[in-house]
């Protein structure tokens, strides 16, 4: 993966690559070995202004906002076809940026088109709603119409770059909006290539989708720009609060998909092998770098010992290696700072009294500076930092419980509420848990599955709004109520009786 000449990318504005107004650039490296293979501009406030202006021009002049539903649907289906064609290429770009397994990233890319087809279908079948109002003895006609919000400013993370972009872009386009995208500085290249493909191989008008690369300063310039009509963000709760505050000051809508500390609850009647597979899926897949990671594992005391023994054994068998190798089971963290964060939390856990049954160290036989072993912690109390704060790495805290009411209280005792898992063969118990768990998504006897048809989002500090499903489309629409008189007569407001 090493290269003496990393490929230099520009910004993508109004349908073409253009240089930044600034000179600073950001290296993009391969987390497996640290080799730099691309560079992108550190976007300036002036660059953001150009991007927003391009999006505004496209919104007001290209006709995209007024495009008929069948035409908009056709364009979205065209985007889906292009994604299908380039899934392998885009999947490899994603892996080279963030170090996630190429088989997972290709799988994401192969599924991505379905989001655009789904929202294209929603665009094509949308109907305004007539409301049977009784004002003026029924002589007023009222209907409700949905309209695009305008220019969307979106900031996306590094863990699933194009998937989490699509969760925003597909409904935004279906609603008739235009888009300015600031991808993570760690994973900007797939967004730039995607923008290029949209310009070259689809009928999406120039300026509808624009990409400005950069770090935090670029993102702040986007969120604070008065030409942006709506903000959408996926990332940490701390940054989400700042963006939410900015949106509140400007009184514009905002969608925030934030952090999590999700419980995975294993009851004694659960199929233990299925539960262990699900817990591994929830915390070691994607190297634990996912907002919905099931990082708190609550296991009933009757099966706690057997679970820990088998879970620890499975963790020790996870094959680490090159994420471009289809045989690799877990890749590196996305960058050295993330690995350091994981190690710091494992040290804190030990200091607070937790025991490491496996992991917590850097493996000796891997290159680069980003690898850390899958880690299992026991003797964890729910109030410990490791059980309350999002780590965003392959660290599972295993806790014990004795009763259903106790585990509900423990599972809900967190600032977050993004997701939860329940493992039981008792349907009544499962339904009780679903009702009582404070989480936006609850899986029963499964974990880490999503669909374009089903809404996703969190409670409490895990965010605001929903992505995916019909709810995802509504996040990018404004509602207008229209009243039309049918009587032909308006009363004098100063004549009573």
């Amino acid at each position: 993966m090493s290269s003496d000449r990393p490929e230099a990318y520009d910004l993508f504005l109004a349908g073409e690559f253009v240089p930044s107004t600034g000179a600073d650039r950001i290296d993009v490296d391969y987390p497996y070995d640290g080799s730099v293979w691309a560079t992108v501009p550190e976007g300036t406030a002036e660059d953001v202004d150009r991007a927003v202006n391009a999006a505004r021009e496209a919104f007001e002049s290209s006709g995209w906002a007024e495009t008929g539903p069948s035409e908009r649907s056709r364009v979205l289906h065209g985007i889906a076809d292009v994604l299908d064609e380039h899934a392998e290429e885009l999947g490899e770009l994603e892996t080279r940026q963030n170090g996630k397994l190429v088989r997972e990233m290709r799988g994401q890319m192969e599924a991505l088109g379905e989001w655009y087809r789904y929202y294209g279908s929603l665009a094509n079948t949308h109907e305004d709603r007539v409301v049977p109002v009784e004002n003026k003895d029924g002589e007023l006609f009222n209907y409700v119409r949905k309209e695009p919000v305008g220019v969307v400013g979106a900031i996306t993370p590094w863990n699933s770059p194009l998937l989490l972009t699509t969760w925003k872009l597909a409904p935004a386009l279906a609603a008739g909006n235009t888009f300015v995208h600031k991808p993570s500085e760690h994973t900007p290249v797939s967004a730039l290539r995607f923008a290029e493909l949209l310009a070259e191989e689809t009928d999406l008008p120039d300026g509808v989708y624009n990409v400005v690369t950069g770090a935090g300063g670029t993102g702040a310039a986007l969120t604070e720009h008065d030409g942006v009509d709506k903000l959408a963000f996926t990332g940490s709760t701390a940054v989400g609060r700042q963006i939410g505050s900015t949106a509140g000051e400007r009184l514009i809508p905002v969608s925030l998909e934030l952090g999590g500390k999700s419980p995975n609850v294993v009851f004694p009647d659960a199929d233990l092998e299925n539960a262990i597979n699900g817990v591994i899926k929830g915390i070691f897949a994607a190297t634990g770098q996912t907002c919905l990671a099931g990082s708190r594992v609550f296991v009933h005391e009757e099966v706690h010992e057997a679970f820990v023994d088998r879970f620890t054994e499975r963790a020790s068998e996870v094959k680490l290696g090159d994420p471009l190798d289809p045989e690799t089971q877990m890749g590196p963290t996305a960058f050295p700072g993330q690995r350091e964060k994981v190690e710091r939390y494992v040290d804190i856990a030990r200091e607070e009294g937790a025991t490491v049954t496996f992991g917590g160290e850097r493996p000796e036989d891997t290159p680069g500076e980003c690898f850390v072993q899958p880690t299992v912690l026991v003797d964890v109390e729910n109030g410990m930092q490791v059980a309350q704060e999002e780590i965003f790495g392959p660290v599972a805290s295993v806790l014990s419980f004795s009763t259903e009411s106790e585990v509900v209280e423990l599972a809900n005792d967190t600032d977050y509420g993004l997701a939860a898992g329940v493992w039981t063969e008792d349907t009544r118990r499962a339904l009780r848990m679903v009702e009582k768990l404070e989480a936006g998504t609850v899986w029963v006897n499964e974990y880490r599955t999503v669909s374009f048809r089903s809404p996703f989002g969190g409670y409490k500090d895990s965010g605001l709004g929903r992505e995916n499903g019909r709810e995802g489309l509504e996040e990018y629409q404004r509602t207008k109520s229209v009243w039309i008189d049918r009587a032909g007569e308006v009363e004098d407001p100063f004549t009573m009786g």
Side-chain angles (χ1 to χ4, degrees):
M1 300 301 301
S2 62
S3 172
D4 293 332
R5 291 187 177 180
E7 186 167 356
Y9 289 83
D10 286 327
L11 311 175
F12 202 90
L13 310 180
E16 62 182 353
F17 283 109
V18 297
S20 169
T21 58
D24 293 339
R25 299 191 67 83
I26 298 172
D27 289 342
V28 180
D29 59 34
Y30 183 36
Y32 174 65
D33 58 14
S35 57
V36 176
W37 60 276
T39 70
V40 298
E42 176 76 71
T44 65
E46 186 177 344
D47 294 331
V48 170
D49 189 56
R50 294 157 68 203
V52 173
N53 289 340
R56 176 63 60 192
E57 175 70 17
F59 183 74
E60 295 180 352
S61 303
S62 75
W64 179 249
E66 290 80 31
T67 299
S70 59
E71 174 63 11
R72 202 177 295 162
S73 177
R74 185 189 68 79
V75 173
L76 285 164
H77 278 74
I79 294 172
D81 293 342
V82 168
L83 283 166
D84 290 348
E85 248 182 81
H86 295 272
E88 184 172 349
E89 173 197 357
L90 292 171
E92 183 172 330
L93 281 177
E94 298 263 275
T95 293
R96 292 176 68 191
Q97 296 174 122
N98 67 8
K100 286 176 72 172
L101 301 184
V102 71
R103 64 178 186 221
E104 177 177 353
M105 302 319 291
R106 282 179 182 160
Q108 282 188 10
M109 297 306 103
E110 289 166 358
L112 222 52
E114 294 308 309
W115 265 261
Y116 293 91
R117 294 187 179 99
Y118 172 75
Y119 282 108
S121 298
L122 287 187
N124 202 22
T125 56
H126 171 74
E127 296 175 344
D128 291 335
R129 176 167 54 95
V130 174
V131 180
V133 295
E134 298 179 356
N135 309 60
K136 209 171 179 178
D137 296 327
E139 290 299 317
L140 282 174
F141 174 70
N142 177 261
Y143 70 97
V144 177
R145 58 179 276 121
K146 295 290 188 179
E147 299 177 345
V149 295
V151 176
V152 175
I155 299 175
T156 56
W158 43 262
N159 55 333
S160 289
L162 285 182
L163 176 67
L164 297 177
T165 298
T166 289
W167 287 14
K168 299 160 182 59
L169 180 62
L173 295 181
N177 300 287
T178 58
F179 208 89
V180 178
H181 180 201
K182 205 294 286 183
S184 166
E185 65 270 29
H186 298 288
T187 55
V189 177
S190 57
L192 291 167
R193 176 58 176 148
F194 177 52
E196 183 180 28
L197 290 171
L198 295 187
E200 292 180 347
E201 300 186 23
T202 78
D203 292 328
L204 190 71
D206 292 344
V208 172
Y209 177 59
N210 308 275
V211 180
V212 182
T213 58
T218 311
L222 179 59
T223 62
E224 295 167 4
H225 197 289
D226 59 10
V228 172
D229 301 305
K230 176 190 165 60
L231 296 172
F233 171 75
T234 298
S236 72
T237 295
V239 175
R241 286 187 192 282
Q242 296 172 11
I243 292 173
S245 177
T246 299
E249 285 291 326
R250 297 188 50 222
L251 291 178
I252 61 172
V254 61
S255 304
L256 302 171
E257 199 269 279
L258 308 178
K261 197 67 183 174
S262 299
N264 224 338
V265 181
V266 182
F267 284 98
D269 66 328
D271 182 311
L272 208 58
E273 198 62 27
N274 280 346
I276 289 170
N277 283 336
V279 170
I280 289 172
K281 186 178 181 181
I283 191 60
F284 296 150
T287 319
Q289 298 170 124
T290 172
C291 55
L292 49 76
S295 53
R296 293 185 300 149
V297 186
F298 294 96
V299 183
H300 194 276
E301 58 189 10
E302 290 181 16
V303 293
H304 183 270
E305 184 177 352
F307 180 94
V308 169
D309 288 347
R310 180 63 178 139
F311 185 42
T312 300
E313 180 184 11
R314 289 287 302 278
S316 70
E317 295 170 350
V318 173
K319 181 181 177 182
L320 279 65
D322 187 343
L324 288 171
D325 181 348
E327 299 301 314
T328 296
Q329 295 177 330
M330 195 176 95
T333 60
F335 48 95
Q338 194 61 26
R339 186 218 73 234
E340 292 167 4
K341 180 182 178 183
V342 171
E343 292 174 338
R344 185 167 66 252
Y345 269 104
V346 174
D347 289 342
I348 291 170
R350 287 190 176 107
E351 292 168 5
E352 290 185 318
T355 301
V356 178
T357 64
F358 182 79
E361 307 290 341
R362 278 188 248 180
E364 296 179 355
D365 55 349
T366 52
E369 300 180 4
C370 295
F371 277 96
V372 64
Q373 295 171 321
T375 302
V376 179
L377 301 174
V378 297
D379 301 322
V380 177
E381 299 295 331
N382 201 47
M384 291 180 179
Q385 277 183 259
V386 75
Q388 288 295 315
E389 298 176 8
E390 186 177 42
I391 300 173
F392 225 68
V395 180
S397 296
V398 184
L399 300 89
S400 180
F401 71 94
S402 57
T403 67
E404 185 178 315
S405 59
E406 177 194 10
V407 77
V408 168
E409 184 176 348
L410 289 169
N412 290 337
D413 183 19
T414 172
D415 291 335
Y416 298 103
L418 190 58
V422 178
W423 300 87
T424 179
E425 298 300 309
D426 184 333
T427 303
R428 292 186 178 88
R429 172 187 283 150
L431 292 174
R432 289 195 302 269
M433 291 295 293
V434 165
E435 291 176 0
K436 294 175 183 176
L437 288 169
E438 297 172 354
T441 295
V442 180
W443 295 283
V444 177
N445 296 329
E446 188 50 274
Y447 205 87
R448 201 171 172 247
T449 58
V450 295
S451 169
F452 47 86
R453 293 188 178 94
S454 183
F456 182 84
Y459 293 1
K460 302 188 285 189
D461 283 5
S462 289
L464 300 171
R466 290 295 180 269
E467 298 188 301
N468 302 332
R470 291 182 179 271
E471 292 84 350
L473 178 62
E474 292 168 0
E475 294 284 335
Y476 295 90
Q477 295 175 319
R478 296 187 294 186
T479 301
K480 179 178 286 183
S481 179
V482 180
W483 296 76
I484 301 174
D485 173 66
R486 299 190 305 174
E489 182 179 351
V490 179
E491 293 181 354
D492 182 343
F494 300 115
T495 301
M496 306 300 292

